[in-house]
Amino acid sequence: MAHPIAVSLLLLGLSATPALAAEQDPQTGFIMAPGWETVRNNCIACHSASLVTQNSGSREHWLSLIRWMQGSQGLWAFDDSTEKTILDYLSSNYGPKEDARRPSLRADQLPENPYRKKQS
């Protein structure tokens, strides 16, 4: 029989898990944290929220995406405060993930490229 204290701690931990999980906006899936409304109001005007929630990256990564959207996709310019709020939210809630991608394969692990010219 399991130790009663261990069982109690396990049950306490299991019951506390949902309370510790970040609350999400049911319409967008955005984590409801400071700045989420600003992101919602500016991002999903042009694309789905899942383009945000399925991605992750550093503050620099998110800034580069914003600059790309402003340069080529018609995204409007943000005032400094709005841009800071968006970058704070994205980098805090959708920051870089460790081990999210597998390491690149070595050249000897790749299949033969049928389009590569063979050297004679």
Side-chain angles (χ1 to χ4, degrees), residues 47-110:
H47 58 72
S48 75
S50 64
L51 278 177
V52 175
T53 60
Q54 70 187 3
N55 284 294
S56 61
S58 66
R59 185 180 191 87
E60 293 75 26
H61 170 74
W62 288 112
L63 179 59
S64 72
L65 288 176
I66 289 171
R67 293 292 182 260
W68 173 77
M69 287 185 275
Q70 289 171 330
S72 63
Q73 304 298 309
L75 176 63
W76 50 88
F78 299 124
D79 61 62
D80 291 345
S81 175
T82 300
E83 186 167 279
K84 180 184 181 312
T85 299
I86 291 171
L87 290 172
D88 288 349
Y89 174 82
L90 293 174
S91 61
S92 296
N93 296 288
Y94 300 98
K97 296 177 185 170
E98 292 185 23
D99 300 327
R101 299 188 65 154
R102 66 170 171 72
S104 300
L105 296 174
R106 296 185 319 265
D108 65 311
Q109 294 174 316
L110 297 173

